[in-house]
Amino acid sequence: MSDFYFLLLPVILLVAVVVIYNGIIGKFNAVDRAWASVLTQERQKNKIIPHVEKLVEEDKLHESSVLADVTRLRNSIEELGKQSSAAPDTVRLAEAERHTASLLQGLKVAVEAYPELKASDLYTKLMAEISEQQEQIGAALRIFNRNVEEFNNAIQMFPGSLVNSLLNHKQPVQSFTDAEAQDGFDYKPNL
Protein backbone atom coordinates (compact mmCIF):
# COMPACT_ATOMS: atom_id res chain seq x y z
CA MET A 1 0.00 0.00 0.00
CA SER A 2 2.85 2.41 0.75
CA ASP A 3 4.24 1.73 -2.75
CA PHE A 4 0.94 2.96 -4.16
CA TYR A 5 1.28 6.29 -2.31
CA PHE A 6 4.91 6.49 -3.31
CA LEU A 7 3.90 6.23 -7.01
CA LEU A 8 0.84 8.45 -6.62
CA LEU A 9 2.84 11.45 -5.39
CA PRO A 10 4.91 11.91 -8.61
CA VAL A 11 1.77 11.45 -10.74
CA ILE A 12 -0.06 14.16 -8.77
CA LEU A 13 2.98 16.43 -9.02
CA LEU A 14 3.23 15.84 -12.79
CA VAL A 15 -0.48 16.60 -13.27
CA ALA A 16 -0.12 19.81 -11.22
CA VAL A 17 2.87 20.95 -13.32
CA VAL A 18 0.97 20.24 -16.57
CA VAL A 19 -2.08 22.17 -15.33
CA ILE A 20 0.04 25.16 -14.27
CA TYR A 21 2.06 25.06 -17.52
CA ASN A 22 -1.10 24.99 -19.63
CA GLY A 23 -2.63 27.74 -17.51
CA ILE A 24 0.35 30.00 -18.21
CA ILE A 25 0.13 29.29 -21.94
CA GLY A 26 -3.63 29.94 -21.91
CA LYS A 27 -3.20 33.25 -20.11
CA PHE A 28 -0.42 34.29 -22.49
CA ASN A 29 -2.68 33.50 -25.44
CA ALA A 30 -5.46 35.56 -23.84
CA VAL A 31 -3.05 38.53 -23.62
CA ASP A 32 -2.11 38.04 -27.26
CA ARG A 33 -5.78 37.88 -28.32
CA ALA A 34 -6.63 40.97 -26.26
CA TRP A 35 -3.73 42.87 -27.82
CA ALA A 36 -4.98 41.88 -31.27
CA SER A 37 -8.36 43.36 -30.32
CA VAL A 38 -6.70 46.62 -29.29
CA LEU A 39 -4.86 46.76 -32.62
CA THR A 40 -8.08 46.02 -34.50
CA GLN A 41 -9.83 48.90 -32.79
CA GLU A 42 -6.90 51.22 -33.49
CA ARG A 43 -6.95 50.24 -37.15
CA GLN A 44 -10.65 51.09 -37.28
CA LYS A 45 -9.56 54.68 -36.73
CA ASN A 46 -7.61 54.40 -39.97
CA LYS A 47 -10.94 54.04 -41.79
CA ILE A 48 -12.01 57.40 -40.40
CA ILE A 49 -8.87 59.27 -41.45
CA PRO A 50 -9.81 59.75 -45.15
CA HIS A 51 -13.08 61.32 -44.03
CA VAL A 52 -11.22 63.69 -41.70
CA GLU A 53 -8.89 64.62 -44.56
CA LYS A 54 -11.90 65.29 -46.78
CA LEU A 55 -13.40 67.51 -44.10
CA VAL A 56 -10.13 69.40 -43.69
CA GLU A 57 -9.80 69.97 -47.44
CA GLU A 58 -13.45 70.88 -48.04
CA ASP A 59 -13.51 73.42 -45.24
CA LYS A 60 -10.06 74.78 -46.05
CA LEU A 61 -8.61 74.05 -42.65
CA HIS A 62 -5.11 73.68 -44.11
CA GLU A 63 -3.83 76.60 -42.09
CA SER A 64 -4.62 74.72 -38.90
CA SER A 65 -2.56 71.84 -37.60
CA VAL A 66 -5.40 69.37 -38.20
CA LEU A 67 -3.87 67.92 -41.37
CA ALA A 68 -0.55 67.39 -39.58
CA ASP A 69 -2.41 65.70 -36.71
CA VAL A 70 -4.15 63.40 -39.20
CA THR A 71 -0.82 62.42 -40.73
CA ARG A 72 0.78 61.75 -37.33
CA LEU A 73 -2.19 59.62 -36.29
CA ARG A 74 -2.09 57.60 -39.51
CA ASN A 75 1.66 57.00 -39.12
CA SER A 76 1.39 55.96 -35.48
CA ILE A 77 -1.41 53.48 -36.27
CA GLU A 78 0.66 52.04 -39.12
CA GLU A 79 3.66 51.70 -36.79
CA LEU A 80 1.52 49.72 -34.36
CA GLY A 81 0.91 47.19 -37.12
CA LYS A 82 4.62 46.85 -37.91
CA GLN A 83 5.65 45.31 -34.62
CA SER A 84 8.88 43.41 -34.94
CA SER A 85 8.36 41.40 -31.78
CA ALA A 86 5.43 39.40 -30.49
CA ALA A 87 5.27 41.51 -27.33
CA PRO A 88 2.63 44.23 -27.18
CA ASP A 89 4.12 47.68 -27.76
CA THR A 90 2.19 49.80 -25.29
CA VAL A 91 4.56 52.74 -25.88
CA ARG A 92 3.53 52.97 -29.54
CA LEU A 93 -0.09 52.56 -28.54
CA ALA A 94 0.24 55.47 -26.10
CA GLU A 95 1.71 57.53 -28.95
CA ALA A 96 -1.29 56.72 -31.18
CA GLU A 97 -3.64 57.70 -28.37
CA ARG A 98 -1.78 61.02 -27.91
CA HIS A 99 -2.13 61.71 -31.64
CA THR A 100 -5.85 60.92 -31.45
CA ALA A 101 -6.27 63.37 -28.58
CA SER A 102 -4.33 65.99 -30.53
CA LEU A 103 -6.53 65.46 -33.59
CA LEU A 104 -9.69 65.77 -31.55
CA GLN A 105 -8.39 68.95 -29.96
CA GLY A 106 -7.51 70.32 -33.40
CA LEU A 107 -11.00 69.58 -34.67
CA LYS A 108 -12.52 71.34 -31.67
CA VAL A 109 -10.33 74.40 -32.30
CA ALA A 110 -11.34 74.35 -35.97
CA VAL A 111 -15.00 74.41 -34.97
CA GLU A 112 -14.36 77.47 -32.83
CA ALA A 113 -12.66 79.19 -35.77
CA TYR A 114 -15.28 78.02 -38.29
CA PRO A 115 -18.66 77.90 -36.50
CA GLU A 116 -20.42 76.79 -39.70
CA LEU A 117 -18.35 73.60 -39.52
CA LYS A 118 -20.26 72.51 -36.42
CA ALA A 119 -23.44 72.35 -38.49
CA SER A 120 -21.71 70.16 -41.07
CA ASP A 121 -23.23 66.69 -41.29
CA LEU A 122 -19.81 65.20 -42.05
CA TYR A 123 -18.27 66.83 -38.97
CA THR A 124 -21.07 65.55 -36.73
CA LYS A 125 -20.74 62.02 -38.08
CA LEU A 126 -16.94 62.07 -37.78
CA MET A 127 -16.98 63.25 -34.19
CA ALA A 128 -19.54 60.57 -33.29
CA GLU A 129 -17.50 57.89 -35.06
CA ILE A 130 -14.24 58.98 -33.43
CA SER A 131 -15.92 59.03 -30.01
CA GLU A 132 -17.32 55.56 -30.57
CA GLN A 133 -13.92 54.27 -31.67
CA GLN A 134 -12.29 55.74 -28.57
CA GLU A 135 -14.88 54.01 -26.38
CA GLN A 136 -14.21 50.70 -28.15
CA ILE A 137 -10.48 51.15 -27.72
CA GLY A 138 -10.99 51.93 -24.04
CA ALA A 139 -12.99 48.72 -23.61
CA ALA A 140 -10.36 46.70 -25.49
CA LEU A 141 -7.62 48.22 -23.30
CA ARG A 142 -9.47 47.31 -20.11
CA ILE A 143 -9.73 43.70 -21.32
CA PHE A 144 -6.07 43.73 -22.36
CA ASN A 145 -4.92 45.07 -18.99
CA ARG A 146 -7.04 42.50 -17.11
CA ASN A 147 -5.49 39.68 -19.17
CA VAL A 148 -2.00 41.11 -18.62
CA GLU A 149 -2.61 41.15 -14.87
CA GLU A 150 -3.82 37.53 -14.87
CA PHE A 151 -0.87 36.41 -17.00
CA ASN A 152 1.70 38.30 -14.93
CA ASN A 153 0.21 36.88 -11.73
CA ALA A 154 0.38 33.37 -13.21
CA ILE A 155 4.11 33.64 -13.98
CA GLN A 156 5.13 35.64 -10.91
CA MET A 157 3.23 33.86 -8.13
CA PHE A 158 4.24 30.50 -6.68
CA PRO A 159 3.96 27.75 -7.96
CA GLY A 160 3.50 29.31 -11.41
CA SER A 161 6.79 31.20 -11.06
CA LEU A 162 8.62 27.91 -10.51
CA VAL A 163 6.99 26.21 -13.50
CA ASN A 164 7.59 29.29 -15.65
CA SER A 165 11.27 29.55 -14.71
CA LEU A 166 11.81 25.84 -15.43
CA LEU A 167 9.63 25.31 -18.51
CA ASN A 168 7.89 28.31 -20.07
CA HIS A 169 10.43 31.14 -19.66
CA LYS A 170 7.75 33.77 -20.34
CA GLN A 171 8.50 37.38 -19.43
CA PRO A 172 5.98 39.68 -17.75
CA VAL A 173 3.96 41.82 -20.15
CA GLN A 174 3.67 45.55 -19.60
CA SER A 175 0.12 46.75 -19.14
CA PHE A 176 -1.08 49.87 -20.93
CA THR A 177 -0.92 53.05 -18.88
CA ASP A 178 -1.80 56.54 -19.97
CA ALA A 179 1.01 58.79 -18.76
CA GLU A 180 -0.92 61.90 -19.79
CA ALA A 181 -3.89 60.89 -17.66
CA GLN A 182 -1.60 60.02 -14.76
CA ASP A 183 0.08 63.42 -14.92
CA GLY A 184 -3.27 65.14 -14.51
CA PHE A 185 -4.25 62.95 -11.59
CA ASP A 186 -3.06 64.06 -8.15
CA TYR A 187 -3.30 60.73 -6.33
CA LYS A 188 -0.47 58.26 -6.75
CA PRO A 189 -0.72 54.93 -4.93
CA ASN A 190 2.23 53.97 -2.75
CA LEU A 191 3.34 50.92 -4.72
Side-chain angles (χ1 to χ4, degrees), residues 3 12 14 20-21 27-28 32-34 40 59 61 72-73 75 80 96 101 109 133 139 144 149 174 177 185 188:
D3 288 339
I12 291 172
L14 180 64
I20 293 168
Y21 179 89
K27 286 174 178 37
F28 180 79
D32 190 46
R33 182 182 64 244
T40 299
D59 290 292
L61 302 177
R72 283 193 292 270
L73 176 58
N75 290 339
L80 267 174
V109 168
Q133 289 301 321
F144 170 73
E149 177 187 10
Q174 180 182 351
T177 57
F185 195 62
K188 300 230 189 249

Side-chain angles (χ1 to χ4, degrees), residues 56-176:
V56 169
E57 288 175 10
E58 282 179 358
D59 290 292
K60 310 292 185 247
L61 302 177
H62 298 289
E63 67 271 17
S64 71
S65 64
V66 176
L67 199 54
D69 290 337
V70 168
T71 303
R72 283 193 292 270
L73 176 58
R74 181 190 309 252
N75 290 339
S76 63
I77 291 172
E78 287 174 3
E79 286 299 314
L80 267 174
K82 295 179 182 177
Q83 294 185 119
S84 59
S85 67
D89 192 343
T90 57
V91 173
R92 283 187 179 164
L93 177 61
E95 183 179 314
E97 290 303 300
R98 277 193 306 278
H99 293 314
T100 300
S102 179
L103 173 61
L104 289 172
Q105 184 62 33
L107 287 172
K108 288 176 186 172
V109 168
V111 166
E112 291 173 9
Y114 303 91
E116 68 279 0
L117 182 61
K118 195 171 192 174
S120 163
D121 187 43
L122 181 58
Y123 175 81
T124 306
K125 287 179 181 176
L126 281 174
M127 292 308 287
E129 181 68 24
I130 291 171
S131 294
E132 183 180 332
Q133 289 301 321
Q134 286 306 107
E135 287 176 21
Q136 296 293 330
I137 290 167
L141 284 170
R142 285 188 292 279
I143 293 168
F144 170 73
N145 280 342
R146 184 181 65 234
N147 284 317
V148 166
E149 177 187 10
E150 289 175 5
F151 170 72
N152 287 344
N153 285 342
I155 65 169
Q156 292 173 338
M157 295 168 67
F158 186 81
S161 60
L162 181 64
V163 172
N164 184 56
S165 66
L166 294 174
L167 302 173
N168 292 44
H169 307 290
K170 297 285 186 191
Q171 297 299 313
V173 175
Q174 180 182 351
S175 60
F176 177 78

Side-chain angles (χ1 to χ4, degrees), residues 42-55:
E42 280 292 331
R43 288 184 186 127
Q44 284 297 105
K45 276 196 267 188
N46 238 353
K47 294 180 180 180
I48 301 169
I49 291 175
H51 301 292
V52 174
E53 288 172 328
K54 179 181 174 187
L55 177 73

Side-chain angles (χ1 to χ4, degrees), residues 1-12:
M1 192 60 138
S2 67
D3 288 339
F4 174 75
Y5 291 121
F6 185 69
L7 292 175
L8 186 62
L9 185 61
V11 169
I12 291 172

